[in-house]
Amino acid sequence: HSNREMWFRDFFPANMCPINAKADTFYGIMFDAGSTGTRIHIYTFVQKSPENLPELEGEIFESVKPGLSAYADQPEKGAETVKRLLDMAIDAVPPHLWKTTPVVLKATAGLRLLSEEKAQALLLEVREVFEESPFLVPEDSVSIMDGSYEGILAWITVNFLTGQLSGQNQHTVGTLDLGGASTQITFLPRFEETFKETPGDFLTSFEMFNSTYKLYTHSYLGFGLKAARLATLGALNMEAVDGQMFRSSCLPKQLEAEWHFGGVKYRYGGNKEGETGFEPCYLEVLKVVKGKLHQPDEIRGSSFYAFSYYYDRAVDTNLIDYEQGGVLEVKDFERKAKEVCDNMERYNSASPFLCMDLTYITALLKEGFGFRDNTLLQLTKKVNNIETSWTLGATFHLLQSLGLTY
Ligand SMILES: O=c1[nH]cnc2c1ncn2[C@@H]1O[C@H](COP(=O)(O)OP(=O)(O)O)[C@@H](O)[C@H]1O
Ligand SMILES: [Ca+2]
């Protein structure tokens, strides 16, 4: 707009100015290529004045299952799922903003676990879909994200949405993300001791909104909920063994079934003659986590935000409401695990893995990270109607790198 056209600007408060209402709106498109599904997040921002940060106005969210890694041998078909989601953005973003709206896809643990060759073939096909779209395709727009970024960016999202990254008196909260194939823990250490006791690769400095945050973060590959099922069954990295039956005391006695994960088929079942229930199951699961994770002393007493599969399993067992979320203690997961595992017939209609999943979550929190029984977990899916996902943090980071924000 020329100055002449904008002369009336000064007569209106910024947010009521008829031109401002649309002119300073912009969009960012972030794809989350997770191990169990692919999701699109279309964020709307409004720049109310040049000296302030843009404000997040809303989000459009859609997802498809399975994830890209399920198309390891059909990369074109995988990219087709991305294209269908991207078509939503064509409808959501006004045409005159298409060529300034960036589109980025970041893949997480599902692709990290594939062979380099198969992962790259998938990413290449997705890149072609992006290039053929009318959107802005930045350099490196399609990639596998480093695990430490996954944790940091989720931490940024949650603390931004809860208002902890602006103004004084920042009381940031730690975050726990439990995906299908990997799990992340991230927090801002308060004690000098934590920095001293922590291995260097668990600490990362990150700059966002003109502040530097020195965070504790780690992504444990193979410790996501679905990878943990395979590990418990003894089937992780056992692709070669075809048709073998994997049994566990965490599954209903009579169960025999098949399961596809990461493009591989597994046969699994219950302990027909042997033991079942919480006690033997906990011992099985313990083998997967015990001694495998770093336990920072500082977290034992502090509360954390938890989402993804922590949230889903808490909903499945009525520990929290699907819409509201809620606050739980670590021991609530243990109580539920016992209830489900010791009455497996009663829960048969839900997932046959419910007992194993709850027991794994219990073991991961207690024996893995070293949380206390009474550690508080704030279970959240959305804050102010925005999904708690690393994708928002990643979009801020993207806007920053494009010079659209600082
Ligand atoms: O936008 C989101 N908001 C909240 N939870 C999400 C979102 N996207 C994915 N999730 C959760 O993440 C979990 C699946 O993990 P995912 O497929 O991302 O595996 P990965 O992180 O190991 O690659 C599910 O519990 C799913 O509900
Ligand atoms: Ca994820």
Side-chain angles (χ1 to χ4, degrees):
H1 300 281
S2 73
N3 279 337
R4 207 148 52 94
E5 280 167 352
M6 299 294 277
W7 60 270
F8 52 81
R9 265 194 157 184
D10 293 340
F11 294 90
F12 290 89
N15 60 348
M16 286 174 64
C17 176
I19 271 198
N20 263 10
K22 282 276 161 270
D24 297 323
T25 296
F26 61 98
Y27 295 80
I29 307 168
M30 185 61 62
F31 277 91
D32 167 7
S35 66
T36 68
T38 304
R39 305 118 199 164
I40 186 172
H41 300 253
I42 307 165
Y43 297 105
T44 312
F45 300 91
V46 183
Q47 184 81 54
K48 294 204 168 143
S49 63
E51 64 274 11
N52 283 321
L53 282 172
E55 283 176 27
L56 174 62
E57 204 178 56
E59 175 191 37
I60 295 170
F61 172 72
E62 192 53 71
S63 63
V64 291
K65 281 182 182 171
L68 275 185
S69 44
Y71 301 93
D73 297 315
Q74 306 151 280
E76 277 173 48
K77 249 184 110 187
E80 184 60 35
T81 66
V82 172
K83 175 155 184 357
R84 277 200 297 278
L85 288 171
L86 193 55
D87 284 341
M88 285 192 55
I90 302 267
D91 294 332
V93 179
H96 73 284
L97 293 177
W98 285 348
K99 67 176 192 309
T100 50
T101 299
V103 58
V104 164
L105 175 141
K106 293 184 185 295
T108 54
L111 258 67
R112 282 180 209 133
L113 288 171
L114 285 186
S115 71
E116 172 78 14
E117 194 186 346
K118 290 186 176 183
Q120 289 307 324
L122 280 163
L123 297 179
L124 196 73
E125 292 294 335
V126 171
R127 183 165 245 286
E128 254 165 50
V129 167
F130 281 9
E131 297 288 0
E132 283 162 14
S133 83
F135 298 109
L136 173 68
V137 184
E139 224 179 296
D140 250 345
S141 63
V142 181
S143 63
I144 298 178
M145 182 168 42
D146 188 83
S148 63
Y149 272 90
E150 203 176 348
I152 292 170
L153 295 171
W155 184 91
I156 293 277
T157 297
V158 168
N159 285 285
F160 170 83
L161 291 175
T162 54
Q164 302 305 323
L165 299 186
S166 52
Q168 307 296 308
N169 279 332
Q170 303 185 348
H171 289 291
T172 61
V173 287
T175 52
L176 295 169
D177 185 351
L178 180 58
S182 74
T183 188
Q184 289 76 239
I185 176 169
T186 309
F187 66 97
L188 184 76
R190 286 183 298 149
F191 305 129
E192 203 45 48
E193 277 295 293
T194 305
F195 290 107
K196 281 196 208 126
E197 285 168 4
T198 301
D201 56 340
F202 284 63
L203 298 169
T204 316
S205 279
F206 192 76
E207 212 155 304
M208 192 90 241
F209 307 135
N210 274 342
S211 296
T212 303
Y213 300 98
K214 197 165 184 200
L215 298 175
Y216 175 109
T217 189
H218 196 76
S219 179
Y220 293 94
L221 188 58
F223 287 79
L225 190 72
K226 303 215 164 171
R229 288 179 183 175
L230 293 179
T232 304
L233 287 165
L236 199 63
N237 306 321
M238 296 281 285
E239 301 175 29
V241 194
D242 224 19
Q244 187 185 340
M245 180 65 118
F246 297 100
R247 296 190 179 276
S248 165
S249 62
C250 307
L251 295 169
K253 256 188 190 335
Q254 300 303 326
L255 178 80
E256 284 190 357
E258 278 177 2
W259 187 44
H260 295 257
F261 189 68
V264 182
K265 187 175 84 182
Y266 301 91
R267 295 179 65 223
Y268 62 91
N271 269 350
K272 261 200 176 59
E273 261 94 67
E275 283 186 301
T276 39
F278 180 77
E279 286 302 325
C281 176
Y282 197 73
L283 290 176
E284 260 182 60
V285 168
L286 218 47
K287 288 190 205 132
V288 176
V289 292
K290 192 137 187 126
K292 305 277 177 61
L293 291 86
H294 180 250
Q295 301 189 338
D297 281 338
E298 185 178 329
I299 65 166
R300 294 177 56 77
S302 49
S303 64
F304 271 70
Y305 267 64
F307 34 90
S308 46
Y309 278 123
Y310 293 112
Y311 194 93
D312 299 349
R313 289 302 168 268
V315 170
D316 294 344
T317 51
N318 293 321
L319 281 168
I320 57 168
D321 175 76
Y322 174 76
E323 295 293 338
Q324 308 286 315
V327 180
L328 294 179
E329 290 180 339
V330 166
K331 64 169 176 277
D332 292 323
F333 277 112
E334 179 162 2
R335 178 171 50 82
K336 268 298 172 190
K338 284 179 181 156
E339 199 180 306
V340 172
C341 294
D342 292 338
N343 299 282
M344 265 194 269
E345 339 60 66
R346 235 202 289 150
Y347 289 88
N348 234 346
S349 58
S351 161
F353 282 104
L354 196 54
C355 157
M356 190 186 284
D357 289 353
L358 289 167
T359 306
Y360 175 66
I361 287 174
T362 304
L364 178 67
L365 292 170
K366 288 176 56 162
E367 309 287 338
F369 297 126
F371 285 113
R372 283 199 206 119
D373 277 334
N374 62 354
T375 299
L376 293 178
L377 303 173
Q378 172 76 51
L379 289 257
T380 27
K381 187 169 189 61
K382 290 184 177 192
V383 181
N384 297 332
N385 223 20
I386 306 288
E387 296 280 336
T388 48
S389 158
W390 54 260
T391 50
L392 177 60
T395 304
F396 281 132
H397 190 60
L398 170 66
L399 297 178
Q400 188 175 271
S401 73
L402 293 172
L404 287 165
T405 184
Y406 49 85

